[in-house]
Amino acid sequence: MATPAELLAANLHQVFGNRDVASRRAAIDATYTDDVAFTDPEGTVTGRDALEKKAAALIDGAPADFIFEHDGLAYTGSDTAALAWTFGPSGSPVARGIDLITVRDGRISALRTLLHE
């Protein structure tokens, strides 16, 4: 069973930072519950397929040199965790945010993304 810290890393790198469709989908199936709720400034979507569409739109629409990087320490509890991140060319981010996750049965059941303004 994955730890909250491992789930944060998978969410950031294997899902939202992954440009390979097949491995991204495999990571989604391994990382999130069937009924995962993902909330960002655009609203909330529910389910793995909806989360896949959000991740694909984000990473596939970004320039090839844009990557997600950790921006500090991960904070974890038994069923919640948080991680700050940056997005953009390495060392020159164009976006910053924080992901907050809720964990159920070793998978992410809720993901909330907050953006720095």
Side-chain angles (χ1 to χ4, degrees):
M1 189 175 306
T3 67
E6 290 168 337
L7 292 170
L8 284 170
N11 173 70
L12 191 65
H13 300 296
Q14 296 173 12
V15 176
F16 283 88
N18 188 349
R19 294 177 188 272
D20 180 79
V21 174
S23 66
R24 180 174 58 227
R25 184 58 201 215
I28 286 170
D29 291 342
T31 303
Y32 306 93
T33 60
D34 289 336
D35 63 345
V36 62
F38 172 51
T39 303
D40 68 4
E42 296 175 352
T44 300
V45 299
T46 303
R48 291 177 180 161
D49 291 343
L51 186 135
E52 160 67 20
K53 288 179 185 173
K54 294 287 276 188
L58 175 66
I59 196 67
D60 295 345
D65 64 339
F66 276 42
I67 59 170
F68 280 99
E69 296 183 300
H70 293 228
D71 191 26
L73 302 173
Y75 296 88
T76 63
S78 61
D79 65 353
T80 24
L83 177 70
W85 49 261
T86 61
F87 186 58
S90 185
S92 298
V94 298
R96 293 179 185 276
I98 296 175
D99 286 339
L100 307 167
I101 64 169
T102 302
V103 178
R104 184 178 75 227
D105 299 327
R107 293 186 179 179
I108 297 172
S109 62
L111 167 62
R112 177 176 295 268
T113 295
L114 307 173
L115 299 178
H116 179 268
E117 292 188 15

